[in-house]
Amino acid sequence: MPPPADIVKVAIEWPGAFPKLMEIDQKKPLSAIIKEVCEGWNLPNPETYALQNADATNFYITEKNRNNIKNGSILRLTTSAAQMAQQLHERIQSSSMDMKLDALKDLANSSRDITFAQEFINLDGISLLTQMVESGTERYQKLQKIMKPCFGDLLSFTLTAFVELMDHGIVSWDTFSVAFIKKIASYVCKSAMDTAVLQRSLAILESMVLNSQDLYQKVAQEITIGQLIPHLQGTDQDIQTYTIAVINALFLKAPEEKRQFDGDNVNILDCPLTEMAHILAQKQLRSIILSNVIRSNKPINDEMAHQLYVLQVLTFNLLEDRMMTKMDPQDQAQRDIIFELRRIAFDVECESNNSGSIEKRKSMYTRDYKKLGFINHVNPAVDFTQIPPGMLALDNMLYFARHHQDAYIRIVLENSSREDKHECPFGRSSIELTKMLCEILKVGELPSENCHDFHPMFFTHDRSFEEFFCICIQLLNKTWKEMRATSEDFNKVMQVVKEQITRALTIKPNSLDQFKSRLQNLSYTEILKLRQSERMNQEDFQSRPILELREKIQPEIMELIKQQRLNRLCEGTCFRKISSRRRQDKFWYCRLSPNHKVLHYGDLEESPQGEVPHDSLQDKLPVADIKAVVTGKDCPHMKEKGALKQNKEVLELAFSVLYESDEYLNFIAPDKHEYCVWTDGLNALLGKEMSSEFTRSDMDTLLNMEMKLRLLDLENIQIPEVPPPIPKEPSNYDFVYDCN
């Protein structure tokens, strides 16, 4: 007979004693179980003891997480979290260096457990640690020269404990003093600093900047780009990653209003966001990252790839201001740029005011602007009033004309000599191409939380976006000629060019020259071959009998998808709790009961390796109580104030289950696939339509597969659009065999 579901068999350890095998009744209070264990070993004062997991985590067992105990688990009887916190609080203030060091080491390890962290924080432990840092541990700093390794360990464990405690989100970051920030910044600015101390100091600065605009101001007053760059020139990839993370955080929180800056030691606080690119170039940050990180001998890990991606996105986002700025047709300085394009193309000397009549000059301008390919030949400034791409398109055109003058003149003159209908309009093409490149690179969007999609080639040039444009505008002109396009084919050419660019980017070229070489192999002819090959792999049957068969099969496929979604909900998913720092994730798990009646959910200490049993999830939500499922900006947790609120990807992964009057259960899916699975499954439970893009994709895949299976014998046979005619009756029926 199987044991009751509430009984868990475990082994409990105690130093100096043999492990005790016992059965834990999950219905009994945890205090009663601890009392029973203490009585078995004749230990007084059971209220001063607690149970821990006897694994690498050493996390305390509490009433909240006790359901995670599995049969065969090994637990440890130990000092309670409150008493342990009190002891460590006293020990870290010891006058003995060795005792203090051991206490801080134990504190750094124990602080990972939220149960202990809460108790230590209740003793004002965070303030104690910050005071130790602010004072610079002066008593021991005097001995630093003769005890340098010990001092480094002391400070390292202090900062590690601080980071672990703050990661639980119990204490607000806004509570820290300027003296503490200055001390942390000083560890970052020192040329020779213990690696562990430097790493944790960078992590603290990153969290400060991301979690508080007020702390951003204070940190930015203490840190300059010049002080961070030496950390990128070392060989420790973790230090490099944390350094780029701090730069990204400062970059992300930089104010948009314009301010002044001066000299090499420019302070980030005094920088306008739009001038950040000039500072980064001034400090040669890009070239240092390229040579010391991207082109180093060490493989780039996921966290470094993410930080490089974030830096890439934030750098391109500096273009947003120009992208969303309309041209003022009355602004003479802006009109002079168009005159400069005309002058470079046709080598026209500036005519004096007296040379020819006004009508003659206007006619000449109109003719030249037509050759330049502007839509408005009379006043080309009007072409740049569309946003996006706004003035960014004109900036790109001027850069191309000045830095690739021969190619610019060739394109303009080459198209000027063609028939009007075969002319590739340089002006219109440049405007639409700039808009397309902004869409491909997602200019203006905040970086994704989980993306690692950085392109090494954009770190090889200080004006990488402009150079990217110059390559692509020449590609567009080449493709136009290969397609023998006319003005009516403009949109078709742009579609082909977009496909050429996106296909070339998928191989992650290491340089702009490699990107250009890849485009040479993606001619219009090659694109047609690729399209034809892909089309053959997914045939599109359009005849009426086939369409009728598809309609008949579709409900069966939809029911199959519905069952798959519900089965996935029954398996459950681990969801991540969004925090400002990515390295210390918190998790919770949710799954549907096998009878589809209840949602079981609960917090986890770490990401599970497999499915989490229903009985270990302490919270329940009956499906019958669910009123609605909302997504994106309609979710309650997306309406709250926070740094992540504007992150587009987080918005796309957010959904909430509303129940009762004003209660809700909030989700952030780990990826787009899980988002679609859960929203589809929840809508299916409520009897609503499954409308996600993955449902449409699955429907197409399964439907095409089923169609091919059913029509397997009809391969290479043309199916008529109308039924064939009925043949004439035979003259006799002698060929009929009488079965009787």
Side-chain angles (χ1 to χ4, degrees), residues 563-576 587-594 596 598-602 604 607-614 616-617 655 667-671 673-675 677-678 681-682 685:
Q563 292 304 317
Q564 187 274 338
R565 298 293 191 262
L566 295 178
N567 289 340
R568 276 289 295 108
L569 264 61
C570 290
E571 294 174 8
T573 299
C574 178
F575 295 95
R576 183 168 58 90
F587 303 95
W588 69 288
Y589 201 87
C590 186
R591 63 181 300 180
L592 180 67
S593 62
H596 301 171
V598 180
L599 285 176
H600 298 263
Y601 62 96
L604 301 177
S607 181
Q609 299 302 314
E611 292 184 21
V612 177
H614 296 91
S616 66
L617 301 173
F655 61 98
F667 297 77
I668 299 289
D671 51 49
H673 180 267
E674 288 296 320
Y675 169 84
V677 166
W678 274 85
L682 292 170
L685 287 173

Side-chain angles (χ1 to χ4, degrees), residues 4-237:
D6 294 322
I7 302 299
V8 182
K9 295 182 178 181
V10 299
I12 300 180
E13 298 177 340
W14 174 251
F18 289 106
K20 181 187 293 292
L21 300 177
M22 66 178 294
E23 294 183 349
I24 291 179
D25 186 351
Q26 294 285 37
K27 292 181 179 179
K28 293 174 63 176
L30 191 59
S31 57
I33 296 171
I34 294 172
K35 183 178 180 182
E36 182 182 340
V37 174
C38 290
E39 288 174 350
W41 276 311
N42 297 319
L43 299 174
N45 305 321
E47 66 276 3
T48 62
Y49 293 93
L51 292 175
Q52 270 183 339
N53 288 303
D55 55 18
T57 64
N58 291 329
F59 287 167
Y60 279 96
I61 304 298
T62 64
E63 291 289 354
K64 188 175 181 180
N65 63 25
R66 62 183 295 179
N67 288 327
N68 293 334
I69 301 174
K70 307 291 191 303
N71 276 317
S73 297
I74 301 177
L75 307 181
R76 180 186 298 117
L77 185 66
T78 187
T79 307
S80 68
Q83 189 164 346
M84 176 68 75
Q86 183 65 49
Q87 292 173 0
L88 287 177
H89 192 273
E90 295 171 358
R91 287 169 57 200
I92 63 176
Q93 300 178 73
S94 169
S95 58
S96 167
M97 173 69 82
D98 292 337
M99 184 177 293
K100 192 182 196 78
L101 188 61
D102 289 340
L104 285 169
K105 184 176 181 180
D106 291 341
L107 178 63
N109 184 55
S110 300
S111 295
R112 294 179 297 118
D113 183 4
I114 190 170
T115 306
F116 170 86
Q118 184 67 70
E119 296 292 344
F120 189 79
I121 289 171
N122 290 342
L123 296 172
D124 212 14
I126 293 284
S127 296
L128 177 60
L129 293 178
T130 55
Q131 288 169 13
M132 292 170 62
V133 173
E134 286 174 15
S135 64
T137 53
E138 292 174 358
R139 179 177 178 184
Y140 305 102
Q141 211 162 7
K142 295 175 182 178
L143 304 174
Q144 186 177 359
K145 290 185 179 180
I146 58 175
M147 303 182 68
K148 186 173 181 180
C150 187
F151 173 76
D153 290 342
L154 186 78
L155 187 55
S156 171
F157 290 133
T158 303
L159 296 179
T160 301
F162 176 83
V163 170
E164 296 291 352
L165 291 168
M166 290 302 298
D167 275 345
H168 296 296
I170 300 171
V171 178
S172 170
W173 283 93
D174 287 313
T175 59
F176 298 106
S177 66
V178 174
F180 178 72
I181 297 170
K182 285 180 177 291
K183 185 60 67 173
I184 296 297
S186 70
Y187 299 145
V188 172
C189 297
K190 286 181 181 177
S191 56
M193 178 53 68
D194 181 81
T195 301
V197 173
L198 176 58
Q199 185 184 89
R200 285 150 184 78
S201 299
L202 289 167
I204 292 170
L205 291 180
E206 181 197 5
S207 293
M208 285 180 171
V209 172
L210 291 177
N211 282 282
S212 170
Q213 188 63 35
D214 184 51
L215 285 184
Y216 160 78
Q217 304 282 341
K218 296 173 182 176
V219 171
Q221 288 174 348
E222 303 298 327
I223 297 293
T224 66
I225 292 288
Q227 291 164 332
L228 291 172
I229 279 180
H231 302 315
L232 295 172
Q233 296 172 317
T235 57
D236 190 316
Q237 190 170 114

Side-chain angles (χ1 to χ4, degrees), residues 15 29 89 262 305 310 322 356 362 408 411 506 514 561 565 581 626 673 682:
H89 192 273
D262 60 334
V310 172
R322 296 293 284 174
K362 283 185 177 180
Y408 167 70
I411 287 177
T506 55
Q514 197 176 99
I561 294 173
R565 298 293 191 262
R581 294 184 70 250
I626 298 177
H673 180 267
L682 292 170

